Amino acid sequence: MNIILASGSPRRRELLARAKLDFELLSVDIDETQYDSEAPKDYIERMVATKAQAAIEQLNVQLKTGKACFTEPLIILTSDTIGVLPDGQTVLVKPTDREHAYRMWQQMSDSIHEVWTAVQATQVSLPLEFSECASLEQGFQILDQRQITERTEVSFVPLTAEMMSDYWDSGEPADKAGGYGIQGLGAAWVSRINGSYTNVVGLPLAQTLALIKEMTAVSA
């Protein structure tokens, strides 16, 4: 079964590639604004569902314009990662600027936060009568959708103003939830973790592979 990773994250691409899976990439762009009073789990589950719908819409456009042809069912993988403070409510997202990053880091300094990643697998196919990629109006049909959410505890060392300034100037924090990359320079801030390392990177690999296996076994 064909797999599409609907993500622009190079880290998720690299992780999935380690599993020796054949997959294609599709970048989706959605509004990632959290609703007022929206719980963290509700937020990331909404994000992966919205990304999946955006991916399906893009694929339908490709079909109708003749830019792609898929004659077999597809599994679309979408993922979203956030950090969450011990209150269980405060979400740590990608920093918008230096001051935003500093505010998050000061809350994370010398304490424990959690990294949550939601992953959704969406199985889609074309109607049987369009299996040869004829002119399509109906587009892909959703056959199955499944979500998982993985949580990892991360402990930070005490952070100084100099450490935060140097790290921001490195350019690494800008596109990462919580403003740090455990696989990069941010590793120096992490004293220990409890849970999946790849989850903190951005995709809980073992759990994602189990989700794919579960979905393909049901459809077999």
Side-chain angles (χ1 to χ4, degrees):
M1 188 175 297
N2 294 319
I3 296 173
I4 292 180
L5 176 62
S7 172
S9 167
R11 295 168 294 281
R12 293 190 179 116
R13 180 184 68 240
E14 291 165 3
L15 285 170
L16 201 57
R18 292 182 189 177
K20 304 299 182 181
L21 287 180
D22 291 327
F23 62 94
E24 298 182 36
L25 292 172
L26 182 68
S27 182
V28 295
D29 185 21
I30 65 167
D31 181 0
E32 298 189 20
T33 304
Q34 185 181 10
Y35 295 153
D36 291 340
S37 302
E38 185 175 26
K41 189 172 188 294
D42 294 337
Y43 170 61
I44 56 174
E45 288 179 351
R46 179 173 62 85
M47 286 296 97
V48 293
T50 303
K51 289 178 181 180
Q53 186 57 46
I56 292 171
E57 291 172 2
Q58 281 196 41
L59 292 172
N60 283 336
V61 169
Q62 291 181 13
L63 285 170
K64 292 177 181 180
T65 57
K67 294 182 179 178
C69 180
F70 303 96
T71 58
E72 297 181 0
L74 306 173
I75 290 180
I76 300 169
L77 290 178
T78 51
S79 183
D80 196 71
T81 301
I82 57 173
V84 181
L85 290 180
D87 62 8
Q89 295 298 319
T90 305
V91 173
L92 305 166
V93 294
K94 299 173 185 176
T96 55
D97 53 31
R98 180 188 292 264
E99 288 70 28
H100 182 208
Y102 280 23
R103 288 196 301 272
M104 289 195 296
W105 294 339
Q106 287 164 354
Q107 293 176 294
M108 299 155 72
S109 175
D110 196 23
S111 65
I112 299 172
H113 65 276
E114 289 188 339
V115 175
W116 299 7
T117 300
V119 180
Q120 177 166 310
T122 304
Q123 185 179 359
V124 298
S125 71
L126 295 175
L128 291 176
E129 61 268 29
F130 296 120
S131 60
E132 296 302 324
C133 289
S135 177
L136 294 175
E137 293 298 330
Q138 189 173 358
F140 281 104
Q141 297 177 336
I142 296 175
L143 303 180
D144 193 7
Q145 286 182 313
R146 300 174 186 229
Q147 282 190 2
I148 58 170
T149 300
E150 186 68 18
R151 303 183 185 191
T152 302
E153 289 185 346
V154 181
S155 300
F156 263 21
V157 300
L159 303 178
T160 65
E162 181 180 9
M163 291 167 68
M164 292 188 288
S165 178
D166 289 346
Y167 189 42
W168 178 261
D169 290 341
S170 74
E172 183 176 276
D175 65 339
K176 296 172 179 63
Y180 74 97
I182 194 172
Q183 74 284 3
L185 299 174
W189 289 7
V190 178
S191 57
R192 65 179 57 84
I193 69 170
N194 180 21
S196 166
Y197 169 80
T198 56
N199 181 51
V200 185
V201 177
L203 186 72
L205 187 57
Q207 294 84 349
T208 300
L209 295 176
L211 182 64
I212 294 171
K213 184 177 181 180
E214 178 182 295
M215 182 166 280
T216 53
V218 169
S219 61

